[in-house]
Amino acid sequence: NAGSLNELDDEQGFAHFVEHMAFNGSERVPEGEMVRLLEREGLAFGADTNASTSFDATMYRLDLPRADEALLDTTLMLMRETASALTFDPDAVAREKGVILSERRVRDTYMLQNTVNRFEFLYPGSRLARRMPIGTIASLEVATSEGLQAFWHRYYRPDNVALVVVGAFDPALVEAKVAEHFADWEASETPLEEMP
């Protein structure tokens, strides 16, 4: 439950940047290994392994090729790593920054500008036109490991995350595996603040 509308002025594009960093290293999965791990299990990057960031949410999606316990276990481990164990290595952030700035430049088209103009016309004074999920070049260029981690810590918390499992699984197995991977994820003592 965190997207571009949750970003502060100097964090524009951070929700999307954090989404990218989920594939760039965590405590249990070194940088570059998540995709390889999933490919060994039969998932194709992009088709079966994907993520997206919108104005109000960031979604991570894995379409599993089979409904077996071992793959469910691996998948939930990866989701827990994304939720609470990303590393934000400064070198990985620097490498990914180039990818994200390239995306930003490629997406700066008439369609994006038209969307911004339409939002400004339809919703005057709202944050919508000022918080496109791709962010701004200025804020992305100065993004740091610490800044991204601060955004992630603020919003990736048990009271702000939903996990959905759909498929031909035994519900009792899913419940037990979710508890195994997520039960010790402690809620923050700081209340989640509403954006202005």
Side-chain angles (χ1 to χ4, degrees):
N1 192 24
S4 60
L5 289 176
N6 300 103
E7 299 164 347
L8 301 175
D9 288 342
D10 61 349
E11 296 176 327
Q12 293 182 58
F14 279 26
H16 177 241
F17 206 140
V18 168
E19 171 211 313
H20 276 240
M21 293 309 297
F23 297 90
N24 282 285
S26 67
E27 291 173 10
R28 294 179 61 187
V29 183
E31 181 183 0
E33 284 302 311
M34 179 190 278
V35 172
R36 289 186 194 113
L37 172 65
L38 292 169
E39 286 175 342
R40 286 192 297 269
E41 295 290 351
L43 284 79
F45 187 69
D48 304 316
T49 307
N50 218 325
S52 62
T53 302
S54 66
F55 291 104
D56 61 355
T58 303
M59 183 182 71
Y60 300 91
R61 181 177 175 153
L62 299 175
D63 291 328
L64 308 181
R66 58 190 184 283
D68 67 49
E69 182 175 346
L71 186 52
L72 175 64
D73 197 52
T74 298
T75 299
L76 291 173
M77 180 274 292
L78 292 173
M79 290 296 168
R80 173 60 192 272
E81 291 288 288
T82 298
S84 67
L86 297 182
T87 53
F88 294 95
D89 177 76
D91 291 336
V93 169
R95 284 189 292 276
E96 200 62 33
K97 185 184 293 188
V99 172
I100 290 175
L101 284 167
S102 176
E103 279 186 27
R104 174 64 177 88
R105 289 182 182 103
V106 167
R107 291 182 188 180
D108 193 11
T109 63
Y110 164 77
M111 288 178 56
L112 176 65
Q113 295 306 315
N114 184 49
T115 300
V116 170
N117 292 338
R118 189 178 49 197
F119 286 165
E120 288 172 344
F121 177 77
L122 293 172
Y123 312 106
S126 80
R127 293 169 58 84
L128 205 57
R130 296 178 285 121
R131 288 296 186 272
M132 297 306 291
I134 194 61
T136 66
I137 290 175
S139 61
L140 294 170
E141 283 180 337
V142 298
T144 64
S145 173
E146 295 80 15
L148 294 169
Q149 200 165 29
F151 179 87
W152 173 70
H153 274 297
R154 202 162 64 238
Y155 291 104
Y156 284 61
R157 44 192 281 168
D159 57 330
N160 200 47
V161 170
L163 176 68
V164 178
V165 179
V166 177
F169 288 104
D170 175 1
L173 172 66
V174 172
E175 186 176 352
K177 288 294 182 184
V178 168
E180 178 184 326
H181 288 281
F182 287 88
D184 65 346
W185 188 22
E186 295 184 17
S188 173
E189 295 179 8
T190 307
L192 191 59
E193 293 181 22
E194 293 294 321
M195 293 304 295

